[in-house]
């Protein structure tokens, strides 16, 4: 008896690109055309641009964790885990589940959208003592940590300890670092009113970046506006500076300054997921080199999008690739779904083409800078554009309502500065959140797949 199996479409990653791809596949494919599987540790899409507002307590963690199971046409099988290797010859993805079980998932078509991880450098003590701002757990943990520093400083009788607990260092002058410093400075500025024993002048925030300008993508005028806002709030911004080494109670800058601190937040860029290194394929600065139609050259049924793919930017030309932004990732997700469907149906594929619509930077309160469609805004108009953009970009009405309600409640009632204490006695730093040691090498992937095949025979 002959059994006809449906084509298997495997999507790796539930970021902007992966989720938009799955949603489009569910809408455009009938159930009998293909089986769709999604690999992700969590059954939600994280709205990354608002992570700093979770860290500062303006938003609750749940409000930016958008459930994948609310879709009315939901029929995707979700494997709770992370892809740790791909064998392109065997068309098998190796997955480590959340219970640490390693399984092989065969596919006919695969969409690689594993996203990115925090970019680090070989700086002594960095991964042991710095926090990141890339996951929901990190944002929630940083909030607890910052409030605990206020609590401990308030209780301490040692001036040196107080000074180190009340200084905070953020590395990275891009969007993530700037918004993180701005939002958390507002948190400590508001919280100090509840600590009558603390001198507000002792609370110091440092934002440093090796680049000569703050958020150069915004242009000189808006970059200066953002810099003025930060300095007006008392944040010490140092450009052309990074850190030379990090310790448990102090950080040394490359200009020789030694800052006593218990809080180092590292947001100095991202790199492609380590999964890409397991493919034995050409890369561009660590991102998988793909054609304009998002196909991997020379491979059948392999597509890549988002932060881990170097998708040619046809709107700019001259060999430019799309930047790793949520705007491009979400649009690439929709476009790659259409190309997977076209490949499935034997139709021609279309190249990805999208012109950037602009940038928004929410600095908290009434402060923001935005550049929608090239129009430069700052202050309240920019804040209206920034928050309007975020509400429009959130995928479900439930998420939009939660975020808008949180904004309103925070504006009216403020914050209670409560620590959850979930990880109070278990310190967790950059190295503990992103599991970069979980991936296999190319050789290990091939060996694992071959062993699994021989056992099956």
């Amino acid at each position: 008896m002959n059994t006809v199996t449906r084509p298997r479409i495997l999507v790796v990653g539930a970021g902007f690109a992966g989720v938009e791809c799955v949603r489009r596949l569910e809408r455009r494919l009938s159930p009998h055309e293909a089986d769709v599987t999604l690999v992700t540790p969590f059954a939600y899409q994280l709205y990354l641009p608002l992570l700093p507002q979770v860290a500062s307590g303006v938003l609750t963690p749940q409000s930016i964790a958008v459930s994948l199971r609310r879709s009315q046409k939901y029929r995707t099988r979700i494997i709770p885990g992370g892809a740790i290797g791909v064998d392109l010859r065997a068309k098998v993805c190796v997955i480590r589940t959340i219970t640490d079980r390693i399984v092989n998932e065969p596919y006919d078509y695969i969409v690689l959208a594993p996203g990115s991880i925090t970019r680090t450098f070989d700086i002594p003590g960095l991964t042991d003592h710095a926090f990141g701002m890339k996951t929901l757990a990190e944002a929630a943990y940083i909030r607890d940590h910052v409030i605990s520093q206020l609590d401990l400083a308030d209780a301490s009788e040692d001036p040196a300890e107080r000074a180190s607990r009340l200084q905070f260092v953020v590395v990275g002058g891009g969007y993530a670092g700037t918004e993180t410093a701005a939002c958390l400075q507002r948190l400590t500025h508001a919280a100090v009113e509840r600590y009558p024993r603390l001198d507000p002048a002792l609370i110091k925030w440092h934002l440093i970046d090796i680049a000569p300008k703050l958020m150069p993508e915004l242009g000189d005028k808006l970059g200066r506006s953002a810099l003025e806002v930060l300095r007006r709030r008392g944040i010490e911004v140092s450009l052309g500076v990074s850190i030379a080494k990090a310790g448990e109670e102090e950080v040394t800058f490359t200009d020789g300054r030694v800052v006593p601190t218990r809080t180092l937040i590292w947001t100095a860029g991202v790199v492609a997921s380590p999964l890409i290194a397991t493919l034995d394929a050409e890369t561009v600065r660590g991102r998988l080199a793909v054609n304009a139609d998002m196909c991997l050259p020379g491979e059948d049924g392999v597509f890549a999008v988002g932060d881990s793919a170097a998708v040619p930017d046809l709107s700019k030309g001259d060999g430019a690739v799309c930047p790793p932004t949520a705007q491009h990732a979400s649009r690439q997700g929709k476009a790659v779904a259409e190309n997977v469907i076209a490949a499935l149906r034997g139709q021609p594929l279309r190249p990805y083409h999208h012109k950037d619509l602009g940038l928004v930077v929410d600095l908290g309160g009434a402060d923001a800078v935005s550049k929608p469609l090239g129009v430069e805004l700052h202050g309240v108009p920019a804040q209206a554009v920034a928050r309007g953009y975020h509400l429009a970009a959130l995928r479900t009405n439930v998420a939009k309502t939660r975020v808008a309600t949180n904004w309103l409640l925070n504006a009216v009632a403020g914050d209670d500065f409560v620590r959850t204490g979930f990880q109070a006695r278990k310190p967790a730093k950059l190295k503990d959140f992103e599991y970069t040691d979980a991936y296999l090498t190319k050789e290990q992937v091939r060996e694992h797949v071959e062993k699994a095949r021989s056992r099956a025979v």
Side-chain angles (χ1 to χ4, degrees):
M1 181 176 179
N2 292 327
T3 302
V4 178
T5 60
R6 290 185 290 270
R8 298 160 298 186
I9 302 173
L10 181 64
V11 180
V12 176
F16 289 97
V19 169
E20 290 297 341
C21 176
V22 167
R23 290 184 72 214
R24 183 61 62 94
L25 290 172
E26 287 180 337
R27 285 200 299 268
R28 296 271 283 111
L29 286 174
S30 60
H32 69 271
E33 276 191 275
D35 291 328
V36 181
T37 301
L38 175 65
V39 180
T40 175
F42 310 104
Y44 63 75
Q45 175 194 5
L46 177 62
Y47 190 76
L48 273 168
L50 291 178
L51 267 185
Q53 296 194 31
V54 171
S56 63
V58 174
L59 299 176
T60 62
Q62 187 183 9
S63 62
I64 66 167
V66 187
S67 173
L68 300 181
R69 301 186 187 276
R70 277 191 174 271
S71 171
Q72 293 182 350
K73 292 192 175 183
Y74 168 75
R75 63 173 185 272
T76 297
R77 169 181 167 236
I78 296 178
I79 300 178
I84 58 173
V86 178
D87 188 328
L88 297 177
R89 291 188 307 180
K91 288 201 166 188
V92 169
C93 180
V94 183
I95 300 166
R96 189 189 300 274
T97 70
I98 57 174
T99 57
D100 261 348
R101 180 169 167 250
I102 297 181
V103 298
N104 290 346
E105 184 66 21
Y107 63 85
D108 297 298
Y109 300 90
I110 187 169
V111 177
L112 297 166
S116 56
I117 61 171
T118 302
R119 178 181 62 183
T120 58
F121 300 98
D122 190 19
I123 298 172
L126 176 62
T127 57
D128 291 323
H129 300 293
F131 300 101
M133 183 61 77
K134 197 77 174 64
T135 69
L136 197 59
E138 283 176 310
Y141 189 90
I142 286 174
R143 172 176 166 78
D144 267 18
H145 171 81
V146 169
I147 296 174
S148 72
Q149 298 313 297
L150 299 178
D151 289 343
L152 291 166
D154 184 63
S156 176
E157 300 295 341
D158 181 355
E161 180 185 355
R162 274 194 177 191
S164 68
R165 293 196 183 280
L166 295 179
Q167 290 208 69
F168 307 88
V169 178
V170 179
V171 182
Y175 304 113
T178 301
E179 290 186 333
T180 296
C183 290
L184 286 173
Q185 184 274 336
R186 281 180 57 85
L187 166 69
T188 55
H189 178 74
V192 76
E193 296 179 4
R194 312 283 182 90
Y195 296 86
R197 296 180 70 248
L198 291 183
D199 180 1
L202 291 177
I203 300 179
K204 297 179 181 178
W205 281 88
H206 302 264
L207 175 62
I208 68 174
D209 193 272
I210 197 67
K213 295 181 180 179
L214 194 69
M215 295 182 293
E217 300 89 342
L218 284 173
D220 290 344
K221 183 179 178 182
L222 288 183
R224 284 196 302 270
S225 295
L227 186 60
E228 289 169 6
V229 168
L230 298 179
R231 286 179 170 163
R232 187 172 67 242
R233 290 190 191 171
I235 298 175
E236 185 174 325
V237 181
S238 301
L239 300 174
V241 176
S242 187
I243 62 171
K245 63 179 179 178
E248 189 174 350
E249 298 183 8
E250 67 179 27
V251 171
T252 303
F253 292 177
T254 52
D255 62 4
R257 282 180 291 165
V258 178
V259 177
T261 182
R262 312 290 180 98
T263 308
L264 172 62
I265 303 174
W266 179 267
T267 64
V270 297
V271 293
S273 165
L275 178 67
I276 300 305
T278 73
L279 269 65
D280 197 18
E282 183 183 351
T283 59
V284 177
R285 294 184 180 179
R287 301 167 71 186
L288 197 61
V290 295
N291 298 326
D293 57 10
M294 295 159 289
C295 283
L296 184 63
E299 298 292 342
D300 179 41
V302 180
F303 301 81
V305 287
D307 290 6
S308 286
V311 179
D313 190 343
L314 299 182
S315 65
K316 294 181 179 178
D318 296 326
V321 298
C322 297
T325 64
Q327 188 179 142
H328 276 291
S330 60
R331 285 162 176 78
Q332 287 171 10
K334 296 174 184 177
V336 79
E338 294 292 344
N339 279 350
V340 171
I341 294 169
L344 190 65
R345 296 173 179 173
Q347 299 169 349
L349 310 187
R350 293 183 178 181
Y352 170 76
H353 190 285
H354 169 69
K355 188 175 181 180
D356 206 307
L357 298 179
L359 307 164
V360 296
V361 181
D362 189 335
L363 300 174
D367 294 320
V369 289
S370 301
K371 196 175 182 180
L373 301 174
V375 179
E376 297 185 342
L377 302 172
H378 59 87
V380 174
Q383 184 63 280
V385 169
R387 297 204 165 181
Y389 170 81
H390 291 315
L391 287 177
L394 285 163
R395 194 169 50 81
T396 68
N397 290 329
V398 171
K400 297 177 198 288
T401 303
R402 283 194 179 121
V403 167
T405 302
N406 283 176
W407 279 336
L408 178 61
L409 187 61
N410 185 266
V412 173
D415 194 334
D416 286 332
F417 312 108
V418 173
R419 288 185 288 121
T420 60
F422 289 142
Q423 295 176 303
R425 296 189 179 277
K426 184 183 178 183
K429 300 296 169 63
L430 192 63
K431 65 176 183 177
D432 301 307
F433 282 104
E434 299 194 26
Y435 307 107
T436 53
D437 59 348
Y439 296 85
L440 302 179
T441 65
K442 291 176 284 191
E443 294 75 21
Q444 288 173 327
V445 171
R446 193 157 296 151
E447 181 183 354
H448 176 80
V449 171
E450 289 175 355
K451 281 185 178 179
R453 279 185 165 182
S454 62
R455 284 196 300 267
V457 173

